[in-house]
Amino acid sequence: KPSQECLPSFVLRYWSIHTPSPPYLCILVKIYSIDYRLQSGHAWRTILWTRRHHGLNGPTFWPKSKSAEVDCTFLRALLAKKDTPLPFLTYSMLCRDPLVVLQCPLYAWKCRGLRRVALSVLSRLLDSNEVLAVQTSPSERSATELIAYRNLALVRCLLFLTSGSVVGPGEEVATSHAKPFQCSSVTSMIRSLVATQPGLVAMLVKQGLPTTAADWLVNHVPECMGDATNLTVLLSERSCLSATERLVTADAGIRIAIAHGSQDENAAKSLVLAGLSQLIASFFLVVGPVGMPVSVMMEENGDDVTQKCREATFRILNAIQRVRGDRKGIRNECSVALQKLAGMCKGESLLMGASGTVANRKKALLKEIWDTIVKALNAMGSAVQL
């Protein structure tokens, strides 16, 4: 029988404050116990005790007829706050707004057992919500849009959570104490939503993602290659994004094409070409105007344009170094673009006759870009040819 030592304090608090009626609230405690015992090597005995104690002899820990009741009880327990009554939730309310599950406290998402149960509940609610959206929407298009925006919000939240991009009040992603973690349930849900929702990755990139979240998406979701055409169109439409946003989008698109372009080489080549064209067009945003500091250009919200463009530029150049030799189409496009970029660096450095602090900073930046270009060309088996 599980002991209280293996239960977290917040579960014991809910257990002592709220009367377990219906008795399926007990399952919340037992789920955590089972998860703990799985790590301790006593899973089989604990599972048998839990099923015998509650009379649950099916493949799951509760009867299907009571699934809705258990889901509501589970979420009410997690969403409750100290010294306050349990929140009022019904299953119909949850089906209409399944994203309520995302309001569970952060410590619940960090607990492996509670996180997996929450995702299981969320998956059932998403299926019910999709049926309701189709039945109640005035048209099929409106239902599709509702589901698309729901999936966008959900994937964005899960992406920030698992990549460690969650920030607290007054924090930034770079200084956040959140740590990335690997969870097969979170990864499976994100991959499933990306695979079934065309354009989802393009919308995520268009809204803007921290570099940690973008890297996690590229490394763990090969289905994002299915949005290569949408990303190419997004880079081609000048009115949709600012110059900085286009370069950040080019960074994400090139990384996706390099990592997963073998699924569709033609689409990957088009995406890389669009991204490299944006890289060359943004060259003077990176180095800044002649005779002026490189941080002279600012956006309306106060962000440093040249700094953001510089970060995206070096991320692209570093990503190009991972192009394999057997991918001749992408390798040739990258080589041509890098040769042109190297020529622009050489020409800009020759035009700089002035001296001083500003000129020295710009020369140092041009040299850093040049060295990264040379390194990328060498990694592809080529060299600078001027």
Side-chain angles (χ1 to χ4, degrees):
K1 182 176 180 178
S3 60
Q4 291 189 351
E5 284 75 9
C6 66
L7 302 181
S9 58
F10 67 90
V11 174
L12 291 176
R13 184 172 71 245
Y14 294 139
W15 178 265
S16 60
I17 293 176
H18 306 296
T19 302
S21 178
Y24 299 101
L25 182 59
C26 304
I27 299 175
L28 172 61
V29 181
K30 300 305 180 291
I31 286 170
Y32 190 89
S33 303
I34 291 168
D35 182 76
Y36 178 87
R37 295 280 179 160
L38 282 172
Q39 303 176 39
S40 306
H42 303 290
W44 182 247
R45 183 175 58 184
T46 307
I47 291 173
L48 287 179
W49 179 88
T50 304
R51 290 185 175 179
R52 183 172 63 253
H53 183 75
H54 293 288
L56 306 177
N57 296 315
T60 61
F61 294 118
W62 50 74
K64 291 185 178 180
S65 60
K66 295 293 184 178
S67 177
E69 185 179 358
V70 173
D71 290 351
C72 288
T73 304
F74 173 79
L75 291 178
R76 290 176 67 194
L78 281 188
L79 294 174
K81 298 180 180 180
K82 187 177 180 180
D83 300 327
T84 59
L86 281 171
F88 177 75
L89 292 174
T90 64
Y91 197 71
S92 59
M93 293 170 56
L94 294 173
C95 290
R96 289 185 176 89
D97 186 11
L99 299 186
V100 171
V101 179
L102 298 177
Q103 296 180 10
C104 293
L106 186 58
Y107 56 74
W109 289 105
K110 291 182 178 179
C111 172
R112 187 181 68 172
L114 296 180
R115 179 175 65 246
R116 290 187 175 185
V117 178
L119 291 173
S120 178
V121 173
L122 179 59
S123 179
R124 290 191 290 272
L125 293 176
L126 290 175
D127 293 338
S128 301
N129 177 258
E130 188 167 343
V131 175
L132 285 175
V134 173
Q135 292 178 349
T136 59
S137 297
S139 64
E140 183 179 354
R141 179 179 179 180
S142 61
T144 303
E145 290 179 354
L146 285 173
I147 295 172
Y149 283 113
R150 180 205 69 184
N151 292 343
L152 176 63
L154 175 58
V155 171
R156 189 175 181 83
C157 290
L158 294 178
L159 195 58
F160 274 57
L161 176 68
T162 189
S163 65
S165 303
V166 178
V167 296
E171 291 184 332
E172 295 182 356
V173 175
T175 60
S176 174
H177 298 291
K179 296 181 180 180
F181 62 88
Q182 295 295 330
C183 177
S184 58
S185 299
V186 175
T187 304
S188 297
M189 178 167 285
I190 293 176
R191 292 183 62 179
S192 175
L193 291 171
V194 169
T196 57
Q197 183 68 60
L200 185 58
V201 173
M203 289 189 289
L204 285 170
V205 173
K206 184 178 180 180
Q207 286 187 349
L209 290 173
T211 55
T212 53
D215 291 343
W216 191 96
L217 183 67
V218 173
N219 294 332
H220 295 86
V221 187
E223 290 80 6
C224 60
M225 185 59 201
D227 260 9
T229 303
N230 293 322
L231 288 170
T232 304
V233 173
L234 188 62
L235 287 170
S236 303
E237 296 179 356
R238 299 289 179 178
S239 60
C240 293
L241 303 172
S242 65
T244 306
E245 292 171 340
R246 285 198 298 272
L247 192 56
V248 173
T249 302
D251 169 37
I254 290 174
R255 286 175 174 271
I256 290 173
I258 292 174
H260 309 294
S262 57
Q263 302 176 20
D264 188 345
E265 286 292 347
N266 292 330
K269 184 178 178 180
S270 300
L271 181 56
V272 168
L273 181 59
L276 293 174
S277 298
Q278 185 58 46
L279 174 64
I280 295 173
S282 303
F283 176 76
F284 290 103
L285 288 177
V286 177
V287 300
V290 177
M292 302 184 71
V294 293
S295 59
V296 69
M297 290 175 285
M298 308 290 290
E299 292 183 346
E300 295 180 356
N301 57 2
D303 291 342
D304 189 340
V305 172
T306 52
Q307 182 62 30
K308 293 177 68 174
C309 290
R310 186 196 308 179
E311 292 175 359
T313 297
F314 283 109
R315 281 175 56 84
I316 292 174
L317 295 177
N318 290 327
I320 291 175
Q321 298 177 24
R322 295 193 292 270
V323 177
R324 299 191 303 272
D326 57 337
R327 305 182 66 182
K328 295 182 180 180
I330 293 180
R331 188 180 59 180
N332 291 338
E333 294 293 345
C334 291
S335 180
V336 171
L338 291 178
Q339 296 287 356
K340 185 173 183 179
L341 202 60
M344 295 173 70
C345 287
K346 189 69 173 179
E348 187 69 16
S349 61
L350 292 175
L351 292 175
M352 293 183 60
S355 61
T357 305
V358 174
N360 291 335
R361 289 171 56 190
K362 191 168 184 178
K363 288 179 180 179
L365 175 61
L366 288 171
K367 184 179 185 305
E368 187 178 2
I369 296 175
W370 173 273
D371 292 340
T372 310
I373 292 173
V374 172
K375 188 176 180 180
L377 286 171
N378 291 339
M380 294 187 295
S382 182
V384 177
Q385 300 173 358
L386 297 177

